[in-house]
Amino acid sequence: MSRVGKNAVQVPSGVEVKIDGILVTAKGKQGELSFTATDDVVIGREDDQVWVKPANDSKRARAMWGTARARIQNLVTGVSEGFTKSLEITGVGYRAAVQGSSLNLQLGYSHDINYDIPQGIKVVCEKPTSIAITGADKQKVGQMAAEIRAMRGPEPYKGKGVRYADEQILRKEGKKK
């Protein structure tokens, strides 16, 4: 029994959810998102709740049950509130700035890195050493944050690089004489 799948998704006011077989579309103040589930699950709606049930008793159907429910929850949360990932940059001369529709990063390489901001994503740099990525699609926000972090991941000796704001870096002791 799926612990995630057996809970229904609450639809807040201001969010419109449309179910057409295995296609779920959510529309809210942050935009419109859709998700196509597999044939292994049955999706239904009662009042302000969306429920997901497995279509049969196969192992794949039970696996997709919780996955489909989580994806629908992310749709509803995304179009109502949105998702945010915060990154911090540590290091001398390391900085970031938004220039039009691209993010300019100076991460200690011999050249600047220009990262094109995807459609539907908003990037804000309050300080040159912090980046806030906001959007309705949780996957796009997380993917962009992971790609920026991978450009210069945090190193364990001095802690230089790009890291998530809530990430703890395990520091290593340098070599001894």
Side-chain angles (χ1 to χ4, degrees), residues 4-5 7-9 52 64-74:
V4 173
N7 298 322
V9 176
V52 180
M64 290 295 115
W65 179 18
T67 302
R69 190 261 180 214
R71 294 282 307 267
I72 293 168
Q73 176 68 55
N74 288 341

Side-chain angles (χ1 to χ4, degrees), residues 131-152:
I131 304 169
I133 303 167
T134 310
D137 192 344
K138 186 175 186 177
Q139 194 276 331
K140 281 185 180 177
V141 170
Q143 182 68 36
M144 183 176 173
E147 287 175 4
I148 292 171
R149 183 184 181 275
M151 289 177 190
R152 177 73 88 178

Side-chain angles (χ1 to χ4, degrees), residues 81-86 122 131-136 138 141-142 145:
E81 302 163 23
F83 293 98
T84 303
K85 279 278 192 184
S86 297
K122 184 180 169 199
I131 304 169
I133 303 167
T134 310
K138 186 175 186 177
V141 170

Side-chain angles (χ1 to χ4, degrees), residues 14-34:
V15 175
E16 182 184 320
V17 176
K18 208 163 62 175
I19 301 168
D20 185 25
I22 57 173
L23 177 69
V24 180
T25 306
K27 191 174 188 179
K29 64 181 180 184
Q30 297 285 334
E32 183 175 346
L33 295 173
S34 63

Side-chain angles (χ1 to χ4, degrees), residues 5-150:
K6 66 182 176 182
N7 298 322
V9 176
Q10 296 291 328
V11 179
S13 61
V15 175
E16 182 184 320
V17 176
K18 208 163 62 175
I19 301 168
D20 185 25
I22 57 173
L23 177 69
V24 180
T25 306
K27 191 174 188 179
K29 64 181 180 184
Q30 297 285 334
E32 183 175 346
L33 295 173
S34 63
F35 161 65
T36 304
T38 62
D39 293 330
D40 299 314
V41 294
V42 178
I43 303 167
R45 181 172 181 168
E46 294 173 358
D47 300 329
D48 62 342
Q49 292 183 336
V50 176
W51 52 264
V52 180
K53 298 226 183 329
N56 51 45
D57 202 32
S58 68
K59 189 171 184 177
R60 177 168 167 78
R62 287 177 303 174
M64 290 295 115
W65 179 18
T67 302
R69 190 261 180 214
R71 294 282 307 267
I72 293 168
Q73 176 68 55
N74 288 341
L75 286 186
V76 171
T77 306
V79 297
S80 63
E81 302 163 23
F83 293 98
T84 303
K85 279 278 192 184
S86 297
L87 298 169
E88 290 181 357
I89 302 172
T90 308
V92 177
Y94 289 16
R95 63 180 66 89
V98 177
Q99 295 174 341
S101 65
S102 69
L103 178 66
N104 184 291
L105 298 164
Q106 296 175 355
L107 299 175
Y109 295 116
S110 61
H111 59 285
D112 292 357
I113 300 169
N114 288 319
Y115 186 92
D116 292 329
I117 300 170
Q119 198 73 10
I121 302 289
K122 184 180 169 199
V123 178
V124 178
C125 295
E126 301 96 29
K127 298 184 288 186
T129 58
S130 70
I131 304 169
I133 303 167
T134 310
D137 192 344
K138 186 175 186 177
Q139 194 276 331
K140 281 185 180 177
V141 170
Q143 182 68 36
M144 183 176 173
E147 287 175 4
I148 292 171
R149 183 184 181 275

